[in-house]
């Protein structure tokens, strides 16, 4: 399913329809780079998960440098968890509309992970880019065998070749948003080549002010 977006990339966040949140949405927001910015849109559509919810973060396989992974996650975890906590505190937990976050590897707009709160914030539905919504032709993201193996190790599955990879993340009650932050950052590292020192673009329309209480931006 493809939708028109402002420049550079296209994606759609899939989500199960709930009795409390049936309406689809589409909204333009501004993504905050650390420190630049760009725009994008998202919309909510009906999506049936073909897999059970699993543990949030798989151990890295032999192809992943665990030290570099830990360092990369540590650089950004506070800012991402802070954003997720702000989203959790804002708005009704019975509604998912606009309560999402997107992390993109800067200058690589097709390499992204996005998650949206659902089920009274006890879960997040997360997607990892497959390239299905990228530009036609040779510029579209093509995931190699290593990237596909990394996504499988993190329990992402693809419903079809024209879809992103997706999975449910269990946060608990009260929600531990650090679980989702760890998963998103591990996915960027393991599948999309993000490394320590990488700059991320962050989009979170209800995520509050970036970096408050985290020291330097991106920490």
């Amino acid at each position: 399913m493809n939708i028109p977006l402002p420049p550079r990339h296209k994606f759609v966040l899939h989500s199960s329809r709930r009795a409390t949140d049936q309406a689809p949405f589409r909204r333009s927001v501004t993504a905050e780079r650390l420190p630049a910015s760009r725009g994008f849109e998202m919309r909510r559509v009906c999506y049936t998960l073909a897999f059970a919810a699993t543990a949030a973060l798989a151990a890295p396989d032999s192809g992943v440098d665990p030290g570099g992974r830990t360092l990369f996650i540590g650089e950004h975890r506070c800012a991402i968890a802070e954003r997720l906590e702000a989203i959790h505190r804002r708005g009704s937990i019975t509604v998912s509309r606009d309560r999402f976050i997107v992390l993109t590897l800067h200058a690589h707009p097709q390499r992204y992970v996005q998650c949206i709160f659902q089920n009274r914030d006890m879960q997040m539905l997360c997607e990892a880019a497959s390239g299905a919504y990228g530009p036609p032709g040779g510029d579209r993201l093509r995931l190699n065998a290593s990237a596909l193996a990394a996504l499988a190790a993190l329990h992402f599955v693809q419903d079809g070749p024209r879809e992103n990879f997706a999975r449910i993340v269990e946060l608990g009650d009260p929600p531990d948003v650090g679980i989702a932050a760890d998963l998103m950052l591990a996915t960027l590292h393991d599948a999309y080549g993000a490394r320590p020192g990488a700059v991320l673009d962050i989009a979170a329309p209800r995520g509050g002010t970036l970096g408050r209480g985290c020291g330097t931006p991106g920490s």
Side-chain angles (χ1 to χ4, degrees):
M1 189 174 299
N2 211 346
I3 57 175
L5 291 175
R8 300 204 298 176
H9 78 284
K10 299 178 180 180
F11 59 88
V12 60
L13 183 67
H14 301 288
S15 182
S16 305
R17 288 189 186 274
R18 302 274 173 188
T20 55
D21 188 17
Q22 292 288 328
F25 74 83
R26 182 175 180 176
R27 175 183 174 86
S28 295
V29 300
T30 298
E32 292 188 32
R33 176 184 178 246
L34 307 179
S37 66
R38 61 183 174 79
F40 74 99
E41 294 178 356
M42 289 180 96
R43 73 175 179 183
R44 180 177 174 84
V45 298
C46 184
Y47 180 72
T48 303
L49 294 173
F51 54 93
T54 53
L57 193 60
D61 63 24
S62 58
V64 174
D65 172 19
R69 185 197 217 216
T70 299
L71 182 57
F72 170 71
I73 291 175
E75 288 175 346
H76 298 282
R77 189 181 193 274
C78 178
I80 304 311
E82 185 180 74
R83 289 288 194 152
L84 289 167
E85 185 63 32
I87 297 168
H88 167 60
R89 293 195 307 266
R90 296 178 180 189
S92 172
I93 63 172
T94 62
V95 177
S96 293
R97 186 182 298 272
D98 293 341
R99 303 180 70 243
F100 61 82
I101 187 169
V102 186
L103 305 184
T104 306
L105 188 59
H106 181 67
H108 298 278
Q110 295 184 71
R111 297 175 183 268
Y112 61 85
V113 186
Q114 54 192 12
C115 297
I116 190 167
F117 280 101
Q118 61 178 30
N119 191 23
R120 302 185 65 85
D121 289 3
M122 292 185 292
Q123 296 176 330
M124 294 196 84
L125 176 62
C126 295
E127 281 192 357
S130 66
Y133 304 105
D139 291 335
R140 179 171 293 183
L141 176 67
R142 302 257 195 269
L143 296 175
N144 60 26
S146 176
L148 294 172
L151 289 169
L154 291 165
H155 304 290
F156 283 94
V157 298
Q158 190 178 28
D159 193 50
R162 301 179 67 180
E163 306 290 346
N164 281 332
F165 294 87
R167 61 159 294 176
I168 290 287
V169 180
E170 296 287 350
L171 302 181
D173 184 16
D176 180 355
V177 297
I179 295 172
D182 287 341
L183 173 69
M184 298 183 81
L185 292 167
T187 303
L188 287 175
H189 179 277
D190 296 1
Y192 302 116
R195 293 296 180 262
V199 176
L200 303 183
D201 295 341
I202 304 175
R206 296 193 181 183
T209 302
L210 179 62
R212 188 184 307 163
C214 287
T216 58
S219 65

